Amino acid sequence: MFTRYTRFYYTTNKYTNEVFSIRLNNFSGTASTTDNEPATTVPQHARVVICGGGVMGASVAYHLAKLGWANDTVLIEQHRIGGGTTWHSSGLIGVFKPSLAQVNLTKSSIDLYKELESKKLPTGWKQCGSVNLARTMDRMFVFKRMKAQSVSWDIECELLTPDECKERCPILNIDGVKGGLWIPSDGVGDPYDICLSLVKEARSLGINVLENCTVKRINQEKGCVKSVETNLGKIECEYFVNCAGFWARGIGQLSEPYVKVPLHAVEHYYLHTKPIPGLDSLLPVVRDQDGYIYFRENNGRLLAGGFEPTAKPAFEDGKIPVSPKDRFLPEDWDHFHILLEQLLFRVPTLGNAVLDKLCNGPEAFSPDCKWIVGEAPEIRNYFIAAGMKTVGISAAGGVGRATADMIVAGESSYDMYELEVSRFLGLHNNRKFLRDRVKEVPGLHYGLMYPLHEFQTGRNLRMSPVYPKLRDAGAVFGQVMGYERPTWFQNRMDDEDEFDDWSRPQNIAKTKTFGKPPWFENVADEYAACRENIAISDYSSFTKIDLWSKGREVVDALQYVCSNDVDVPIGSIIHTGMQNKYGGYENDCSLARITENHYMMIAPTIQQTRCKVWLQKHLPSTVALSDVTSMFTALAIIGPFTRTLLSELTDTDLSPKNFPFFTFKMLDVGLANGIRTMNLTHTGELGYVLYIPNEFALHVYSSILEQGMKYGMKHAGYYATRALRVERFYAFWGQDLDTRTTPLECGRVWRVKFDKGVDFIGRDALLKQREEGIKRQYVQLLLEDHCSDTDLWPWGGEPIYRDGKYVGVCTTTGYGFTFKKQVCLGFVENLNDYGVRQRVTNDFVLSGDYEIDIAGIRYPAKVHLHSPNLPTKFPDKEREAYQATRDKTDDSIVVTIKR
């Protein structure tokens, strides 16, 4: 039973000092429930078992049924269908998301709900649009960027003045509003109705749905899903789908090995009013992100909530109750105060409304605030669709369809690599790490995301042995895959206080602007040292994998998974892509041939889990694989004087004849031995990368630094080496290169050896593309008439126009310190009048006049198809050969990988 009571809540508006009193008609206690009687039998066999009867599990079941697998699929729910977080969701469906993949998945969800509505199945879908408010000019710049980006993402939107915001939503107080963004395709839905409608449809097609059925264990055999044990019996199956919401992490621990699903619940608040007379049923969703809040109309009432800057973790002991009545979290008006204060300021009507209840429901977040999808790295045929935060219905339709496609067809038309669970390491699944991280993650939803954002929590996890030395040298750190990586170096003051808090770096990188960043001059000095003098940089975060076999098995296996010819002489380094069957990049790496049957692979940091999974799927058991990332400290010395410096620290002859460019040797450096040394830098500059056994790292670092003093050696961070690579036209995996981008499209066909005598993955697709021609081309664009001191910078995602017509989007951007101009890398397409892509030729690319749209202002740009020749005081044939693209087929080998 419910107990009704009335009370008042008082708060002061900090903008007007007006005191509001809110009459609360609230409830104490929880509704009693009568559990369904458990099913008496479960099927002994099924092809697919889906765990989780929320909207995500329902969507996967529905789409599997539509693909003809209904009679082979079982959906199990530990309590009642829709009884997880579905019942208390806000129901917001916003089309704009941080990436195109998430946008397309959301559009697919909306299409599904419209389809269900056409069948008279309730979803609560209502296309009411959304008004997004800006209190600052930086937020307005974000909206202007979104408006510009909407062309490439095919989203209708309109910039609004403050008065136009109020016209769209008359109950708004527009004090302090600079402007807004209207998105007419946004809407709302009822998560519970959607869930039940999807389950109803799935059942009608033959899906077996079991309530009050609890998963006890997921068994595997030879690395693949074998069966699922439940409280009602065992089900033999081929596939398992973890759609368990905030239970997904716990479900992941019910197998051997554990499947990591990094999620942690936080308290999330929804304020419900009693009916408000005259409230427009098509009132748009309003998001006041600078005030952390949103609100919407809900059956004649207001439903309001938000994302406070510091969230409150829930169930910190990791034990999440099964029953909703046990999972109900008590209201915390003190914690909700920051949101309530903003709501009362923005919606004065709320001060006179009678409140129904403050719902405190747990919501699960991932450590990077992205969804978690895809096949688990630990067990084959184990899929995950979880971590949808508070926007489960935005994701459910598209992710459910994509997951079903991957199960039935082995692939999906949605390129979801950025959302795949393989982006995580085991450290991301640590409960204490998650508890700390989710305090700041929900705030990112509405936070003002400046470029190159860095998390504040979960720091100082992975550090190279030279980390203390780098910190003392003034390093400002970023984090990638848990590694602390210097981004740039600031000048140290002699009287600076000692820093003893080892839970976080002394200095965490921040940009806090969309224009010229505060670190610009420091990075310019580091860049100059790399090009014209000598610099040292920490490359330790690179993924490092050893591959070997007793015989030639490793050579044959790598020939199959690599598009370049890896059967090179011992001591050679080869750069290669690992393509999928479409010719797209699954990995972009360098391979050093250490012995006849032993290779060392260097790959992007963000690929540490992902590339291992790809290799394990395609390498025979006779090839051994070992992740040695944490065994070696990698130091790069960069610049024209590096050969001279290193010669003073080793007895090995480093002359070009004995140690030529793009080769590998084992060196003694100082007193240390066994240093795997590569004559390359991954930046286009002369130099070496030393992979040093950790026990020797401090000695080698100190020796190099001491010897380098007479050369004026500087430390260089990631921002400087990144600037070098952008200016040199090097592609970045995860930004420029992805699973749908081919070597032909990005000017790297000369690294594909079609005639190496061995078939390789993706060969047929690349041959077909070579014959038919490409439909997009990777280009470098230099901005003209742009002032880097006063104008806003491009930060990626900007539309590209050719002769006034949209043709593509920028993928990576940066300042070119030699060009003294902004440099944009991206892809150009040839679209006909109907928006259909046509063949792209060099003549097409070079014959147009280009512009880059930065938040509504178009800047003219000069286009390049090939690596530019950058002037230098110290010209060198090796450096001139170090280019990312070629005018014609060339046997030279060049690195284009992302740290």
Side-chain angles (χ1 to χ4, degrees):
M1 299 294 293
F2 286 108
T3 302
R4 184 182 300 274
Y5 64 94
T6 302
R7 64 179 179 178
F8 290 85
Y9 181 78
Y10 296 90
T11 185
T12 302
N13 189 311
K14 68 180 180 181
Y15 298 96
T16 64
N17 291 322
E18 182 179 0
V19 177
F20 292 93
S21 65
I22 307 173
R23 181 157 53 93
L24 303 174
N25 281 341
N26 213 332
F27 301 102
S28 66
T30 56
S32 61
T33 60
T34 303
D35 292 347
N36 292 344
E37 289 298 318
T40 55
T41 60
V42 298
Q44 293 183 346
H45 302 279
R47 295 191 74 179
V48 185
V49 173
I50 304 169
C51 174
V55 68
M56 185 57 65
S59 179
V60 174
Y62 168 82
H63 284 99
L64 282 171
K66 295 283 285 185
L67 292 173
W69 281 37
N71 295 326
D72 298 315
T73 301
V74 177
L75 172 63
I76 61 178
E77 163 57 39
Q78 64 179 342
H79 196 252
R80 287 179 167 181
I81 293 297
T85 59
T86 300
W87 64 274
H88 63 70
S89 176
S90 62
L92 305 188
I93 305 178
V95 181
F96 254 113
K97 293 288 185 286
S99 68
L100 180 58
Q102 294 174 70
V103 167
N104 289 333
L105 291 166
T106 302
K107 288 181 177 180
S108 180
S109 297
I110 293 173
D111 290 342
L112 172 62
Y113 306 150
K114 289 179 177 178
E115 179 186 341
L116 293 175
E117 285 284 339
S118 69
K119 296 179 180 180
K120 308 300 182 184
L121 291 167
T123 65
W125 165 249
K126 181 170 59 177
Q127 187 171 326
C128 55
S130 72
V131 174
N132 302 272
L133 306 178
R135 301 191 190 188
T136 66
M137 294 312 297
D138 276 357
R139 181 72 67 178
M140 275 307 298
F141 173 66
V142 171
F143 288 170
K144 290 175 181 178
R145 279 175 53 88
M146 292 169 67
K147 172 62 177 174
Q149 200 171 43
S150 67
V151 176
S152 54
W153 286 4
D154 192 24
I155 299 174
E156 183 184 352
C157 62
E158 177 186 348
L159 293 169
L160 303 177
T161 65
D163 288 338
E164 289 171 334
C165 293
K166 191 169 181 65
E167 289 175 11
R168 297 282 184 183
C169 182
I171 67 173
L172 275 180
N173 169 23
I174 57 172
D175 289 352
V177 172
K178 304 292 185 183
L181 184 71
W182 165 248
I183 308 174
S185 56
D186 281 359
V188 297
D190 187 314
Y192 191 66
D193 280 350
I194 291 171
C195 181
L196 295 186
S197 293
L198 287 170
V199 170
K200 180 179 179 180
E201 281 291 274
R203 270 180 164 147
S204 70
L205 294 169
I207 291 284
N208 190 352
V209 179
L210 301 174
E211 295 183 306
N212 296 296
C213 182
T214 304
V215 172
K216 299 296 185 182
R217 185 170 179 81
I218 299 95
N219 299 310
Q220 60 91 13
E221 186 176 284
K222 297 180 179 179
C224 292
V225 169
K226 176 64 176 177
S227 65
V228 176
E229 298 178 23
T230 77
N231 62 320
L232 304 179
K234 180 188 286 189
I235 307 173
E236 300 286 335
C237 61
E238 300 175 34
Y239 298 89
F240 178 76
V241 189
N242 185 343
C243 300
F246 48 53
W247 287 282
R249 181 176 178 273
I251 295 295
Q253 295 175 335
L254 298 180
S255 60
E256 180 58 45
Y258 282 6
V259 169
K260 61 180 180 294
V261 189
L263 290 172
H264 199 292
V266 299
E267 296 186 6
H268 193 64
Y269 296 87
Y270 306 89
L271 190 66
H272 299 260
T273 73
K274 288 290 189 180
I276 298 176
L279 194 64
D280 186 355
S281 63
L282 287 177
L283 190 78
V285 173
V286 175
R287 299 181 180 91
D288 182 359
Q289 294 167 301
D290 294 316
Y292 327 119
I293 57 172
Y294 65 81
F295 65 88
R296 54 160 290 201
E297 187 275 341
N298 184 32
N299 297 321
R301 312 158 187 253
L302 280 180
L303 186 162
F307 298 92
E308 63 274 36
T310 303
K312 186 178 179 181
F315 310 118
E316 294 188 50
D317 60 0
K319 299 175 182 177
I320 305 172
V322 173
S323 171
K325 62 183 179 183
D326 297 327
R327 200 170 58 249
F328 188 87
L329 296 172
E331 59 192 31
D332 185 343
W333 285 97
D334 289 336
H335 187 75
F336 185 67
H337 176 270
I338 187 173
L339 301 180
L340 180 61
E341 184 181 50
Q342 298 297 322
L343 285 166
L344 290 170
F345 171 68
R346 190 57 66 203
V347 194
T349 303
L350 193 60
N352 300 317
V354 177
L355 303 190
D356 185 11
K357 57 185 174 181
L358 177 64
C359 174
N360 182 2
E363 290 282 359
F365 286 79
S366 69
D368 60 0
C369 204
K370 295 180 183 178
W371 305 337
I372 301 178
V373 302
E375 188 177 21
E378 298 86 357
I379 301 176
R380 298 286 300 277
N381 295 344
Y382 186 125
F383 288 86
I384 300 164
M388 306 306 162
K389 305 171 291 190
T390 64
V391 291
I393 57 174
S394 290
V399 173
R401 176 181 172 184
T403 303
D405 287 343
M406 286 188 287
I407 291 171
V408 174
E411 60 187 4
S412 169
S413 58
Y414 298 99
D415 191 3
M416 303 190 298
Y417 71 90
E418 62 170 308
L419 305 174
E420 290 176 357
V421 65
S422 58
R423 71 183 185 270
F424 296 116
L425 296 169
L427 64 90
H428 295 116
N429 203 35
N430 178 283
R431 184 163 58 85
K432 292 181 180 179
F433 167 84
L434 289 168
R435 178 199 61 198
D436 292 341
R437 176 58 63 85
V438 296
K439 292 177 183 178
E440 67 171 310
V441 164
L444 300 183
H445 257 307
Y446 283 4
L448 191 54
M449 295 294 288
Y450 289 103
L452 308 171
H453 172 78
E454 292 288 341
F455 287 104
Q456 303 296 306
T457 55
R459 302 302 297 256
N460 279 15
L461 287 175
R462 304 177 78 189
M463 297 172 283
S464 73
V466 299
Y467 171 86
K469 295 290 187 181
L470 298 172
R471 194 181 71 169
D472 291 344
V476 179
F477 290 94
Q479 188 187 68
V480 56
M481 292 296 273
Y483 250 111
E484 294 297 336
R485 175 177 66 181
T487 54
W488 55 280
F489 287 78
Q490 62 184 6
N491 296 325
R492 295 271 296 171
M493 303 297 292
D494 292 337
D495 59 349
E496 220 173 303
D497 292 337
E498 289 297 320
F499 185 80
D500 296 321
D501 182 3
W502 283 90
S503 66
R504 59 189 297 275
Q506 182 172 6
N507 291 295
I508 296 177
K510 56 182 178 294
T511 299
K512 295 293 184 181
T513 179
F514 294 105
K516 185 177 180 179
W519 38 258
F520 181 86
E521 299 299 336
N522 300 69
V523 173
D525 290 342
E526 295 168 24
Y527 170 97
C530 292
R531 292 220 66 222
E532 307 297 351
N533 191 21
I534 191 165
I536 185 168
S537 189
D538 183 9
Y539 278 18
S540 299
S541 65
F542 273 134
T543 296
K544 316 170 194 75
I545 294 177
D546 275 359
L547 299 149
W548 71 93
S549 61
K550 291 183 178 180
R552 277 186 53 89
E553 296 91 344
V554 66
V555 183
D556 297 336
L558 288 174
Q559 288 286 58
Y560 173 66
V561 298
C562 297
S563 51
N564 208 336
D565 186 355
V566 304
D567 194 1
V568 291
I570 295 171
S572 298
I573 303 172
I574 190 80
H575 183 82
T576 181
M578 294 183 182
Q579 322 311 136
N580 53 36
K581 69 177 185 178
Y582 301 105
Y585 281 90
E586 291 292 335
N587 191 21
D588 184 50
C589 63
S590 298
L591 286 166
R593 194 167 191 179
I594 296 175
T595 67
E596 184 72 21
N597 305 322
H598 182 188
Y599 291 81
M600 183 182 189
M601 185 181 82
I602 309 299
T605 303
I606 60 174
Q607 284 276 60
Q608 187 170 351
T609 299
R610 198 175 187 281
C611 69
K612 285 190 294 184
V613 173
W614 183 256
L615 288 169
Q616 288 164 349
K617 284 183 178 180
H618 296 93
L619 296 181
S621 59
T622 52
V623 175
L625 179 154
S626 178
D627 185 346
V628 296
T629 300
S630 298
M631 292 174 59
F632 292 92
T633 298
L635 296 176
I637 51 174
I638 307 168
F641 302 122
T642 50
R643 181 180 290 121
T644 305
L645 180 145
L646 190 58
S647 295
E648 297 172 0
L649 294 170
T650 183
D651 294 333
T652 303
D653 178 7
L654 302 183
S655 66
K657 182 177 180 180
N658 187 59
F659 193 2
F661 175 61
F662 232 81
T663 60
F664 158 91
K665 280 189 181 298
M666 297 287 279
L667 297 185
D668 291 352
V669 177
L671 304 179
N673 67 308
I675 312 298
R676 299 181 179 185
T677 305
M678 300 186 186
N679 187 351
L680 54 82
T681 62
H682 309 310
T683 63
E685 302 303 317
L686 299 178
Y688 304 86
V689 182
L690 287 70
Y691 293 92
I692 311 159
N694 283 337
E695 64 267 29
F696 296 136
L698 275 173
H699 170 75
V700 173
Y701 169 84
S702 300
S703 299
I704 293 174
L705 211 62
E706 181 180 358
Q707 199 67 29
M709 288 178 63
K710 63 184 179 183
Y711 296 95
M713 173 184 276
K714 284 183 174 290
H715 286 88
Y718 171 66
Y719 292 173
T721 57
R722 183 184 186 277
L724 288 163
R725 294 170 60 206
V726 170
E727 203 166 31
R728 293 280 189 179
F729 198 13
Y730 288 1
F732 289 64
W733 199 95
Q735 297 176 39
D736 312 303
L737 306 180
D738 56 35
T739 58
R740 290 295 188 270
T741 303
T742 72
L744 282 73
E745 294 168 345
C746 58
R748 285 140 180 83
V749 66
W750 51 279
R751 293 190 187 135
V752 179
K753 298 301 185 286
F754 292 103
D755 57 353
K756 63 180 178 177
V758 179
D759 194 13
F760 59 87
I761 302 172
R763 183 175 185 272
D764 291 342
L766 294 177
L767 284 171
K768 181 180 179 182
Q769 188 180 57
R770 187 172 69 172
E771 180 181 345
E772 296 177 352
I774 58 174
K775 295 186 177 179
R776 61 177 192 152
Q777 175 68 52
Y778 189 50
V779 300
Q780 183 189 66
L781 294 148
L782 307 183
L783 294 195
E784 309 286 341
D785 298 332
H786 179 278
C787 178
S788 293
D789 289 328
T790 59
D791 291 332
L792 296 169
W793 283 25
W795 293 100
E798 290 79 13
I800 302 171
Y801 289 85
R802 176 185 177 273
D803 297 337
K805 180 181 178 181
Y806 169 77
V807 292
V809 66
C810 298
T811 48
T812 301
T813 61
Y815 184 78
F817 290 94
T818 297
F819 287 133
K820 300 190 184 306
K821 294 178 180 179
Q822 297 289 339
V823 182
C824 299
L825 310 180
F827 289 88
V828 167
E829 299 176 335
N830 180 9
L831 304 172
N832 65 16
D833 294 338
Y834 302 99
V836 179
R837 297 195 305 172
Q838 307 297 304
R839 182 172 181 172
V840 174
T841 64
N842 288 356
D843 288 342
F844 170 83
V845 172
L846 296 174
S847 63
D849 293 323
Y850 288 86
E851 296 172 304
I852 304 294
D853 187 333
I854 303 177
I857 301 176
R858 295 188 188 181
Y859 295 90
K862 180 181 179 181
V863 68
H864 288 161
L865 276 176
H866 301 288
S867 301
N869 289 318
L870 302 179
T872 174
K873 293 183 290 185
F874 303 100
D876 189 288
K877 290 184 178 180
E878 287 188 346
R879 175 153 50 182
E880 291 172 2
Y882 207 151
Q883 297 184 12
T885 62
R886 297 292 181 194
D887 292 307
K888 59 182 183 295
T889 301
D890 193 309
D891 290 332
S892 299
I893 305 167
V894 183
V895 173
T896 62
I897 70 177
K898 175 184 177 180
R899 282 199 281 157

